[in-house]
Each structure stands twice: as structure tokens, then as C-alpha cells.
Amino acid sequence: MVASSMPTITSTSLRIGELAALTGTTPRTIRYYEEIGLLARGDRPKGKHRLYRESDVRRLVELTRLRDLLGLSLEELRRLLEAEEARDELRRAWRQSPVAQERLRIVDEALRHLSRQLRLVRRRRRQLERLEADLSESRRVALARRRELRS
Amino acid sequence: MVASSMPTITSTSLRIGELAALTGTTPRTIRYYEEIGLLARGDRPKGKHRLYRESDVRRLVELTRLRDLLGLSLEELRRLLEAEEARDELRRAWRQSPVAQERLRIVDEALRHLSRQLRLVRRRRRQLERLEADLSESRRVALARRRELRS
DNA sequence: TTGCTCCTCACGTCACGTGAGGTGGC
DNA sequence: TTGCTCCTCACGTCACGTGAGGTGGC
């Protein structure tokens, strides 16, 4: 009873419904993202259940976050994250290559990518701040009017 | 030559293409919003051109802003703005009714509505700020790594 | 084994995009 | 009048939602 059938190879193995619940999305969305190539296929005999790991949770959270908060189409999202996939590739290469020259190139690539996302996020935040300021101003006016009516 | 054919009744009269350009959207979107009742029909002999005024520009800008920045569906948007239309109704009533009691009710209604929108906007802004903080942190780590590599 | 979740089509829906063919005129 | 923009269908597309009918088992 102590040693179960087989040792788990992957960290935590999730089914599609569990991944969906953890990321606040739906199985259908996950299958669709796989279909259009936003999520990896993960070699699996056709008809059998999909299995996911911790890294898939992080990936999907990032996807939905950028999608919702930046309002990107899935095509734009794909282009934005292609760079990131290349970065992951490089990160793997990083461990193999302790050559400083090479490592510097990898870090610079990552920095360019992060800067691009930060620019998009900041622009959005400024737009939201402007909307919030406009609404606050309207409220300020309404509050003043109410005070006047009450006096 | 001084007195042209007829005096313009509406402030500025815009065609659908001009309204679209001013609001950063498309004629098709405007027609669709009219179709589903987000924009007024504006009595017009069927087949003839639609004409818009300054107030339509403001309305459409508000619509697209809330749609894009809050990520609302058009159904949610409609519900959010139904209150606002009621508010416009009341605003017209305002001018007729100088009864303080009635005016107070109108202002309170407006305030509740503004607060609701502000809550949505602020929640969004906090989410964006969290995303921005996460990205900034990643960049900080990458920058530190680069400094180390360069030394 | 039973009951849940999963599987793959496949059609439906929302929010428009994109012609096609025709008419209007701030 | 000519050329632009507008008009109304109507079909296409993106990003999924929603069954239907069947199979799998972290």
C-alpha cells in the first residue's frame, strides 16, 4: 500500500476540467487554443484524455490575462507569445551553455520581450486612468449639486 | 447668398462615415449597434442616409470606451447604460421640475450609476496594475542577471 | 461495475467584416 | 452629370457555447 503502481513522472497531472477550473476558463476554450496552436498538443493517443502540468497552468493564466486585460485577438496573442516561446527555448539552452556571451544574448532577448508587453500594459492603464478620472469628475459634479440641493 | 436654403436645425449633422471616423469605429459597427438597440434608430425614411449629431459622438465614444476597457459584452453594456438612458430622461425632467425633492432623487440616481461604473473601472485598473507589477518584477530580475553577466 | 469526466464531431451564437448590387445628395 | 458615400441584404469569420452520441479511468 505504501508504494503505489507507478511513480509519477510529471509534477502534478491535471485533467482538462481541473486545468479549466484553476485558470477560470472552460474545457472548450482549452481545446480550441490547442486546435489553433496557442497551446501545445502534448503527444497523446487520439481519443484519450489530455493531461496537463503546472507549467500549463502558468501558460494558460498568462494567455487569458493578456487576452482579457489587453483585449488582444488570439492572432495578436500568438505573435506576442511566439517571442516568448523562443525565450523558453533559449532558457533551456541557457542551462547547457555557460558561455557568458551566449547568456547575455538570451537575457537581452528576454528584456526586449518584457519591454514590449510592459508598453502595451502601460498604455492600457493610462486609458483606464483617464476613464476613471472622467467618471470621478462627473461624480464630483453630482455630489456638489446634491450638497447644494440639501442646503 | 447670405441666407442659404434652410436653417440647420441640429447642431452639426454627420454622416455615418464621419461618425465612424470621429469615434474610431466602422459604419458596419454603428449599423449593428442600431440594429440591436444600443444606438437610437433616429426616424428616417428607410433607404435614406443616417444623420448624427454631437450627442451621438459622445454616446458612441462612451460605448466603445466601456466595451474595450472593461471588456463587456454588448448585452452587459446595454444593461449598464439602460440606467444612463433613464438618467437622461430624468435630466430632461430636471429642467421642467424645479422641485428640490424631485431633483434630489435624480441626482441620487445619477450617483448610484456613476459609482457602479467606477467600481468596474477600478477593479480593472487593479488587475492591470498587478499584471504590470509582475512584468516589472520579471524585468528587474532579467536586468540584475544582465548586470551580473557584464561584470 | 457505476458514475463521473472525458472524447470528437458539428451546429449555434456574438460581434462584427466583406462583398454585391443598387440608390442618395449636410 | 459624375463620383463619392451611403443603402440593404446576405454570407463569412473569430472565439468560443452547447448538445449528441460514445469512450476512458492521475
Side-chain angles (χ1 to χ4, degrees):
Chain A
M1 290 306 150
V2 171
S4 61
S5 56
M6 285 283 282
T8 37
I9 293 172
T10 59
S11 42
T12 38
S13 213
L14 301 166
R15 302 166 78 181
I16 197 168
E18 297 167 323
L19 176 61
L22 282 173
T23 56
T25 180
T26 70
R28 169 75 240 231
T29 295
I30 295 171
R31 290 193 197 100
Y32 181 64
Y33 286 5
E34 180 187 307
E35 190 184 327
I36 65 170
L38 263 182
L39 290 176
R41 289 205 121 43
D43 53 348
R44 151 189 76 104
K46 169 162 174 165
K48 292 193 88 184
H49 292 192
R50 290 164 179 82
L51 289 179
Y52 300 94
R53 293 170 296 152
E54 187 59 31
S55 61
D56 296 312
V57 178
R58 283 199 305 276
R59 166 84 173 178
L60 191 49
V61 165
E62 191 187 1
L63 276 172
T64 54
R65 230 177 160 195
L66 290 173
R67 180 197 62 182
D68 293 341
L69 292 177
L70 298 184
L72 300 176
S73 75
L74 299 188
E75 182 55 38
E76 294 168 322
L77 205 50
R78 188 211 314 275
R79 281 202 294 271
L80 190 65
L81 294 188
E82 255 166 25
E84 185 143 17
E85 274 155 57
R87 193 152 74 89
D88 283 355
E89 276 298 317
L90 291 175
R91 200 177 282 161
R92 274 191 288 281
W94 173 284
R95 312 201 188 293
Q96 264 104 52
S97 141
V99 184
Q101 184 82 351
E102 185 63 8
R103 292 193 151 196
L104 198 60
R105 204 177 63 74
I106 294 173
V107 171
D108 280 346
E109 171 70 25
L111 276 169
R112 268 198 302 281
H113 179 239
L114 286 169
S115 295
R116 193 142 52 104
Q117 282 184 229
L118 267 171
R119 267 198 305 280
L120 290 175
V121 169
R122 287 193 176 126
R123 190 182 343 151
R124 267 267 147 158
R125 180 166 56 76
R126 275 194 300 273
Q127 292 173 336
L128 257 181
E129 280 167 356
R130 228 173 304 145
L131 176 56
E132 187 176 340
D134 289 356
L135 288 170
S136 291
E137 171 62 15
S138 292
R139 198 177 61 155
R140 198 188 59 72
V141 169
L143 281 170
R145 200 163 293 170
R146 188 170 68 170
R147 259 196 304 282
E148 211 174 310
L149 280 168
R150 284 218 164 119
S151 65
Chain B
M1 289 302 149
V2 171
S4 60
S5 56
M6 284 283 281
T8 36
I9 293 173
T10 59
S11 43
T12 38
S13 210
L14 301 165
R15 301 166 78 181
I16 198 169
E18 298 168 322
L19 177 61
L22 281 173
T23 55
T25 180
T26 70
R28 169 75 240 229
T29 295
I30 295 172
R31 289 193 198 102
Y32 182 64
Y33 286 6
E34 180 186 307
E35 191 184 326
I36 64 170
L38 262 182
L39 290 177
R41 288 204 123 46
D43 51 349
R44 151 189 75 104
K46 170 161 174 168
K48 290 194 89 184
H49 292 193
R50 289 164 179 83
L51 290 180
Y52 300 94
R53 294 172 294 152
E54 186 60 31
S55 62
D56 296 313
V57 178
R58 285 200 304 276
R59 165 86 173 176
L60 191 48
V61 164
E62 191 188 1
L63 277 171
T64 55
R65 231 178 161 193
L66 290 173
R67 180 197 63 184
D68 293 341
L69 292 178
L70 297 185
L72 301 176
S73 75
L74 299 189
E75 183 53 38
E76 293 167 323
L77 206 49
R78 188 211 313 276
R79 281 201 295 270
L80 191 64
L81 295 189
E82 253 166 25
E84 185 142 19
E85 272 155 57
R87 194 152 72 89
D88 285 354
E89 277 299 316
L90 290 176
R91 201 177 282 160
R92 274 189 288 282
W94 174 282
R95 310 201 189 295
Q96 264 104 50
S97 143
V99 184
Q101 183 82 351
E102 185 63 10
R103 292 194 150 194
L104 198 61
R105 206 177 62 76
I106 294 174
V107 171
D108 280 346
E109 171 70 26
L111 276 169
R112 268 198 301 281
H113 179 240
L114 285 168
S115 295
R116 193 142 52 104
Q117 282 185 229
L118 267 171
R119 267 199 304 281
L120 290 175
V121 169
R122 285 194 178 126
R123 191 190 334 158
R124 267 268 146 155
R125 180 166 57 75
R126 276 196 298 275
Q127 292 171 337
L128 257 180
E129 280 167 358
R130 226 173 305 146
L131 175 56
E132 187 176 339
D134 288 355
L135 288 170
S136 290
E137 171 62 15
S138 293
R139 199 176 61 154
R140 199 188 58 72
V141 169
L143 280 170
R145 201 164 292 170
R146 187 169 70 171
R147 258 197 304 283
E148 210 175 312
L149 282 167
R150 283 219 163 119
S151 66

